[in-house]
Amino acid sequence: MGLQDKLNAMKEASRSKLPVETQQVMKRGLETLTASGRREQALNVGDAIPGFVLQDGAGKVFSSRDLIARTPLVINFYRGFW
Amino acid sequence: MLPEYTAKICEKLNLTFPVLSDPGNRVAAEFNLTHTLPDELRQVYLQLGIDLVRFNGDASWVLPMPARYVVDTQGLIRAADVSIDHTVRAEPVDTVAALKLL
């Protein structure tokens, strides 16, 4: 079972418990974001990433330039644990 | 999310890779991934216990579209998956395949 299958199952389980009005609000949110064209503005294949320096939860510092000097990177942007 | 929350995720899931905090979604904005939740959606999130003001430490209600990038040693993006629908994500096997092509 791929990741998306698991995500679809989770979504099915949680969404069906939500009031119809709430589901509508979420649907409208997705439609608004789609219509905004923001997705097409995101960095894409062939673009150079901006350099960044960020910290983990323990305060350790990570520099993208230092990291890519040694190895390719997988960068995941995620919204939160919730 | 604020560092205190990213630290929790690492512990809880026993992650072996770094989970970084992006205060103010500054880096996400440089990747053009950010968007602002409309009012009615903020209310829904609050009802669900998702208080972004608390988790992100600011009142902007800005979030990044979930995205996964494979970046080579020149800093160029070689694979990109941006999720306009946060319930849809790239398959990890595809990410591994993209890495193997480098």
Side-chain angles (χ1 to χ4, degrees), chain B residues 5 8 28 68 77 93 101:
Chain B
Y5 296 112
K8 266 188 213 171
R68 193 172 318 147
I77 296 170
V93 289
L101 290 177

mmCIF file of all heavy atoms in Angstrom, chain B residues 5 8 28 68 77 93 101:
data_model
loop_
_atom_site.group_PDB
_atom_site.id
_atom_site.type_symbol
_atom_site.label_atom_id
_atom_site.label_comp_id
_atom_site.label_asym_id
_atom_site.label_seq_id
_atom_site.Cartn_x
_atom_site.Cartn_y
_atom_site.Cartn_z
ATOM 1 N N TYR B 5 7.799 22.298 19.058
ATOM 2 C CA TYR B 5 6.884 21.335 18.449
ATOM 3 C C TYR B 5 7.596 20.428 17.461
ATOM 4 O O TYR B 5 7.287 19.248 17.344
ATOM 5 C CB TYR B 5 5.725 22.064 17.763
ATOM 6 C CG TYR B 5 4.871 22.831 18.743
ATOM 7 C CD1 TYR B 5 4.847 24.220 18.722
ATOM 8 C CD2 TYR B 5 4.106 22.173 19.700
ATOM 9 C CE1 TYR B 5 4.082 24.944 19.626
ATOM 10 C CE2 TYR B 5 3.338 22.886 20.607
ATOM 11 C CZ TYR B 5 3.334 24.268 20.567
ATOM 12 O OH TYR B 5 2.590 24.978 21.472
ATOM 13 N N LYS B 8 9.229 17.648 19.296
ATOM 14 C CA LYS B 8 8.273 16.609 19.706
ATOM 15 C C LYS B 8 8.086 15.572 18.621
ATOM 16 O O LYS B 8 8.010 14.374 18.888
ATOM 17 C CB LYS B 8 6.904 17.246 19.999
ATOM 18 C CG LYS B 8 6.693 17.589 21.447
ATOM 19 C CD LYS B 8 5.259 18.040 21.706
ATOM 20 C CE LYS B 8 5.242 19.086 22.814
ATOM 21 N NZ LYS B 8 3.980 19.758 23.024
ATOM 22 N N ALA B 28 9.990 29.113 3.356
ATOM 23 C CA ALA B 28 8.869 28.626 2.539
ATOM 24 C C ALA B 28 8.442 29.710 1.557
ATOM 25 O O ALA B 28 8.111 29.430 0.402
ATOM 26 C CB ALA B 28 7.700 28.221 3.431
ATOM 27 N N ARG B 68 7.914 18.451 -1.712
ATOM 28 C CA ARG B 68 9.135 17.653 -1.575
ATOM 29 C C ARG B 68 10.038 17.951 -2.763
ATOM 30 O O ARG B 68 9.626 17.858 -3.917
ATOM 31 C CB ARG B 68 8.829 16.161 -1.509
ATOM 32 C CG ARG B 68 10.054 15.369 -1.041
ATOM 33 C CD ARG B 68 9.758 13.907 -0.782
ATOM 34 N NE ARG B 68 8.504 13.735 -0.105
ATOM 35 C CZ ARG B 68 7.715 12.683 -0.306
ATOM 36 N NH1 ARG B 68 8.059 11.747 -1.154
ATOM 37 N NH2 ARG B 68 6.577 12.585 0.348
ATOM 38 N N ILE B 77 17.195 22.177 -8.377
ATOM 39 C CA ILE B 77 16.082 21.268 -8.124
ATOM 40 C C ILE B 77 15.988 20.270 -9.262
ATOM 41 O O ILE B 77 15.898 20.655 -10.437
ATOM 42 C CB ILE B 77 14.758 22.043 -7.995
ATOM 43 C CG1 ILE B 77 14.815 22.971 -6.774
ATOM 44 C CG2 ILE B 77 13.575 21.083 -7.870
ATOM 45 C CD1 ILE B 77 13.657 23.959 -6.693
ATOM 46 N N VAL B 93 8.799 6.231 -2.809
ATOM 47 C CA VAL B 93 9.564 5.435 -3.790
ATOM 48 C C VAL B 93 9.960 6.286 -4.990
ATOM 49 O O VAL B 93 11.017 6.091 -5.586
ATOM 50 C CB VAL B 93 8.800 4.180 -4.271
ATOM 51 C CG1 VAL B 93 8.716 3.147 -3.180
ATOM 52 C CG2 VAL B 93 7.424 4.520 -4.803
ATOM 53 N N LEU B 101 18.845 8.832 -9.838
ATOM 54 C CA LEU B 101 19.196 9.356 -11.156
ATOM 55 C C LEU B 101 20.306 10.399 -11.086
ATOM 56 O O LEU B 101 20.891 10.767 -12.101
ATOM 57 C CB LEU B 101 17.969 9.989 -11.813
ATOM 58 C CG LEU B 101 16.848 9.051 -12.262
ATOM 59 C CD1 LEU B 101 15.699 9.873 -12.831
ATOM 60 C CD2 LEU B 101 17.355 8.072 -13.312
#
